[in-house]
């Protein structure tokens, strides 16, 4: 009997039209629940009756039955369809697909089946008792009371509404006619009325719970990595938490080169392991990358094959992992957008060096074109390549090229100034202390000397290009007591004298604001000065 049930289960899973002419036992598990129906109210003999509903969740239909209220001796006949659209009111038709049909099934046992119903499906159910072939619509229906706008019920706890459905002929003709339902025998779905009762026994779909797997790309010590060269070895770390019992586990890795128009993966490999019963599988295996993989950004798609809740092997696709492959023997570019000279700070030196690089390139494509960077959020965040942060890049033919491409598009041009302006003054890493010499390479203002002073002092400032400069002195109440510079100043190091003969002792603030006439870059700084008479 068990072998027959297993054979039947395989048949029912794959069939689109299911016909049961015999009766097998139904062993309902704790997960299978009957959809609640309104109680029996009356018996109707005539046309086939039932109901339709919108599936509130994905589930398996595990069994069906016409309750004995319709007749204690006649056979069961059930017809289940999936409508392409909600059944219309009177009159109307709706295209459909037959999911299951059972005719002249004797007895009152639950008829086992295995039909996958998807969330949002429009499902029509009709059933009656009576031995077929019948004469003149002698369907015996178990009727409920009348409900408006329908009967509220649930499937596995998800609410739905059953709405009256009827067929103006014997149910057998629904199968034999071509097309099955003629305009004179339309399915009629109405918002109120009695419901022809057919029991549905529902179970959860075959699932693998969320968060059952973890995958990471690591080195031999288990440390996360984002790039490598080829040929080389990487390691795949994995955790498998489901099922609770033992399961063979296959991990397929598909490597796809970003930007390649061919959808086929460049490289595919599979790892195998066994999850023990009662504990998580935690492992790490080596993957050898062939020299045939060209440099670029790769998305690695992990596909895990393991047992699901129905104890059937199922593939689960996980989130893709990004891996950068750089040429053998080269060094990864670690780009901070705007720091084009890679000196850990964005300042005028970056603008100067970008100008020089573009000039010396002399339109050579080997200098001005190279591999573009890749960021996962580029489709939703247009600023991602300009945002301050470390971004890995593929080395260019020139050592400086990947850094000069501050916007990451694979081309060095004047648009790369944008990242410099956006990230002006930002730093990363360790910045070397300034030497004692004041230079014209950056915007800056030095502390006044002497300080404290009486009554005069000197302030030194620098501009790396012709700039609009305003240098003012205010007291502690914010009142301007002197304007030392206000106009265009040429590139270089300059000084401004402050004479406080007519001022009282106290603290004063010197503020400088500078804007480059060519670059448009701005700079401001304040210093505190002490007048001590």
């Amino acid at each position: 009997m068990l072998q027959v049930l297993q054979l039947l289960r395989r048949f029912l899973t794959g069939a689109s039209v299911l016909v049961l002419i015999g009766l097998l036992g139904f062993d309902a598990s704790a997960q299978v629940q009957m959809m609640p129906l309104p109680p029996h109210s009356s018996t109707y003999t005539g046309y086939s009756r039932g109901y339709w509903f919108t599936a509130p969740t994905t589930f398996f239909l595990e069994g069906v039955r016409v309750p004995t209220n319709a007749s204690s001796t006649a056979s069961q006949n059930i017809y289940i369809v999936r409508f392409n659209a909600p059944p219309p009111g009177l009159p109307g038709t709706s295209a459909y697909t037959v999911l299951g049909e059972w005719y002249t099934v004797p007895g009152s046992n639950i008829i086992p089946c295995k039909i996958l119903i998807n969330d949002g499906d429009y499902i029509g159910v009709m059933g009656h008792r009576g031995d077929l072939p019948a004469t003149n619509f002698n369907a015996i229906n178990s009727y409920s009371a009348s409900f408006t706008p329908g009967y509220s019920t649930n499937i596995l706890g998800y609410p739905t509404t059953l709405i009256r459905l009827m067929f103006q002929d014997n149910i057998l003709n629904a199968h034999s006619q071509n097309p099955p339902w003629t305009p004179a025998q339309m399915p009629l779905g109405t918002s109120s009325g009695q419901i022809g009762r057919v029991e549905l026994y529902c179970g959860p779909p075959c699932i693998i719970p969320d968060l059952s797997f973890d995958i990471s790309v690591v080195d031999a010590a288990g440390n996360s990595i984002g790039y490598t060269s080829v040929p080389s070895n990487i390691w795949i770390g994995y955790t498998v938490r489901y099922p609770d019992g033992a399961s063979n586990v296959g991990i397929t890795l598909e490597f796809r080169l970003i930007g390649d128009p061919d959808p086929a993966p460049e490289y595919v490999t599979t790892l195998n392991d066994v999850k023990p019963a009662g504990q998580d599988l935690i492992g790490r295996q080596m993957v050898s990358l062939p020299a045939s993989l060209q440099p670029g950004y790769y998305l690695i798609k992990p596909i895990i094959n393991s047992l699901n809740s129905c104890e059937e092997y199922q593939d689960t696709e996980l989130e893709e992992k990004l891996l950068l492959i750089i040429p053998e023997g080269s060094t990864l570019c670690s780009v901070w957008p705007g720091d084009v000279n890679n000196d850990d700070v964005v300042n005028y030196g970056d603008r100067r060096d970008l100008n020089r690089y573009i000039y010396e390139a002399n339109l050579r494509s080997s200098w001005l074109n190279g591999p573009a960077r890749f960021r996962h959020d580029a489709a939703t965040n247009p600023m991602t390549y300009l945002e301050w942060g470390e971004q890995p890049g593929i080395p260019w033919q020139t050592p400086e090229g990947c850094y000069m491409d501050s916007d990451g598009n694979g081309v060095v041009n004047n648009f790369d100034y944008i990242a410099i302006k956006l990230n002006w003054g930002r730093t990363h890493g360790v910045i070397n202390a300034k030497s004692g010499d004041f230079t014209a390479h950056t915007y800056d203002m030095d502390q006044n000397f002497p300080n404290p002073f009486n009554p005069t002092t000197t302030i030194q400032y620098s501009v790396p290009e012709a700039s609009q400069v305003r240098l003012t002195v205010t007291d502690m109440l914010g009142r301007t007591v002197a304007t030392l510079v206000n106009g265009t100043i040429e590139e270089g190091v300059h000084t401004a004298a402050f004479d406080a003969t007519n001022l009282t002792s106290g603290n004063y603030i010197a503020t400088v604001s500078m804007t480059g006439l060519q670059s448009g870059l701005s700079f401001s700084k304040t210093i505190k000065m002490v007048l001590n008479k």
Side-chain angles (χ1 to χ4, degrees), residues 347-411:
N347 56 23
Y348 188 77
D350 294 287
R351 179 174 178 82
R352 177 199 62 218
D353 292 342
L354 181 58
N355 279 335
R356 182 182 299 161
Y357 183 87
I358 293 175
Y359 174 77
E360 293 177 352
N362 196 25
L363 300 181
R364 285 175 289 185
S365 61
S366 60
W367 283 49
L368 299 176
N369 299 92
R373 297 200 300 277
F374 175 79
R375 303 275 283 177
H376 260 305
D377 61 344
T380 58
N381 180 11
M383 298 295 289
T384 185
Y385 292 105
L386 303 175
E387 291 175 348
W388 187 245
E390 187 176 17
Q391 301 185 16
I394 303 172
W396 285 30
Q397 294 187 47
T398 62
E400 306 93 340
C402 60
Y403 301 101
M404 295 293 169
D405 179 27
S406 63
D407 58 9
N409 64 354
V411 180

Side-chain angles (χ1 to χ4, degrees), residues 121-178:
D121 282 352
Y122 304 111
I123 302 300
V125 178
M126 291 185 297
H128 61 78
R129 293 214 173 226
D131 295 325
L132 302 177
T135 57
N136 199 23
F137 319 133
N138 66 342
I140 306 172
N141 296 269
S142 172
Y143 258 9
S144 72
S146 181
F147 293 92
T148 302
Y151 178 71
S152 296
T153 185
N154 73 87
I155 295 176
L156 300 177
Y158 294 87
T160 190
T161 301
L162 306 183
I163 300 175
R164 177 182 174 93
L165 184 69
M166 48 192 170
F167 177 65
Q168 302 296 70
D169 202 341
N170 188 287
I171 194 171
L172 183 62
N173 291 333
H175 169 73
S176 62
Q177 291 177 2
N178 187 19

Side-chain angles (χ1 to χ4, degrees), residues 127-450:
H128 61 78
R129 293 214 173 226
D131 295 325
L132 302 177
T135 57
N136 199 23
F137 319 133
N138 66 342
I140 306 172
N141 296 269
S142 172
Y143 258 9
S144 72
S146 181
F147 293 92
T148 302
Y151 178 71
S152 296
T153 185
N154 73 87
I155 295 176
L156 300 177
Y158 294 87
T160 190
T161 301
L162 306 183
I163 300 175
R164 177 182 174 93
L165 184 69
M166 48 192 170
F167 177 65
Q168 302 296 70
D169 202 341
N170 188 287
I171 194 171
L172 183 62
N173 291 333
H175 169 73
S176 62
Q177 291 177 2
N178 187 19
W181 291 350
T182 64
Q185 301 161 332
M186 292 176 277
L188 307 176
T190 62
S191 61
S192 63
Q194 293 175 299
I195 293 172
R197 298 167 68 248
V198 179
E199 295 173 356
L200 301 185
Y201 292 84
C202 309
C206 297
I207 63 168
I208 293 178
D210 293 339
L211 305 178
S212 293
F213 312 115
D214 287 329
I215 289 287
S216 58
V217 182
V218 298
D219 60 18
N223 300 310
S224 180
I225 61 173
Y227 74 97
T228 188
S229 59
V230 291
S232 66
N233 298 323
I234 61 173
W235 278 257
I236 300 298
Y238 50 87
T239 301
V240 178
R241 304 181 182 89
Y242 188 87
D244 293 334
S247 174
N248 293 325
V249 177
I251 304 174
T252 299
L253 304 169
E254 298 180 350
F255 291 71
R256 286 181 171 81
L257 179 63
I258 295 174
D260 187 351
D262 185 355
E266 276 69 24
Y267 179 60
V268 179
T269 188
T270 299
L271 311 175
N272 294 293
D273 209 333
V274 178
K275 180 192 177 299
Q279 63 186 78
D280 293 348
L281 168 62
I282 301 175
R284 185 165 69 243
Q285 293 191 42
M286 185 179 73
V287 173
S288 297
L289 300 180
S292 59
L293 292 177
Q294 60 179 295
Y297 293 89
Y298 285 78
L299 288 176
I300 306 174
K301 177 189 288 185
I303 305 171
I304 295 187
N305 182 264
S306 63
L307 287 175
N308 60 22
S309 60
C310 298
E311 297 187 354
E312 299 169 347
Y313 280 94
Q314 173 182 322
D315 285 340
T316 302
E317 294 186 4
L318 303 185
E319 182 181 3
E320 292 175 315
K321 304 296 181 181
L322 179 66
L323 181 68
L324 171 59
I325 293 180
I326 63 177
E328 186 179 13
S330 61
T331 303
L332 177 73
C333 277
S334 180
V335 179
W336 291 77
D339 183 16
V340 299
N341 59 12
N342 199 29
D343 66 351
D344 299 337
V345 61
V346 182
N347 56 23
Y348 188 77
D350 294 287
R351 179 174 178 82
R352 177 199 62 218
D353 292 342
L354 181 58
N355 279 335
R356 182 182 299 161
Y357 183 87
I358 293 175
Y359 174 77
E360 293 177 352
N362 196 25
L363 300 181
R364 285 175 289 185
S365 61
S366 60
W367 283 49
L368 299 176
N369 299 92
R373 297 200 300 277
F374 175 79
R375 303 275 283 177
H376 260 305
D377 61 344
T380 58
N381 180 11
M383 298 295 289
T384 185
Y385 292 105
L386 303 175
E387 291 175 348
W388 187 245
E390 187 176 17
Q391 301 185 16
I394 303 172
W396 285 30
Q397 294 187 47
T398 62
E400 306 93 340
C402 60
Y403 301 101
M404 295 293 169
D405 179 27
S406 63
D407 58 9
N409 64 354
V411 180
V412 176
N413 53 28
N414 288 334
F415 289 107
D416 292 300
Y417 293 122
I418 296 174
I420 296 176
K421 298 180 75 169
L422 288 175
N423 296 313
W424 183 260
R426 292 183 179 269
T427 62
H428 64 95
V430 178
I431 310 301
N432 294 327
K434 289 199 309 181
S435 64
D437 298 331
F438 208 71
T439 70
H441 292 162
T442 61
Y443 289 105
D444 205 352
M445 177 173 65
D446 206 358
Q447 184 66 47
N448 64 303
F449 182 84

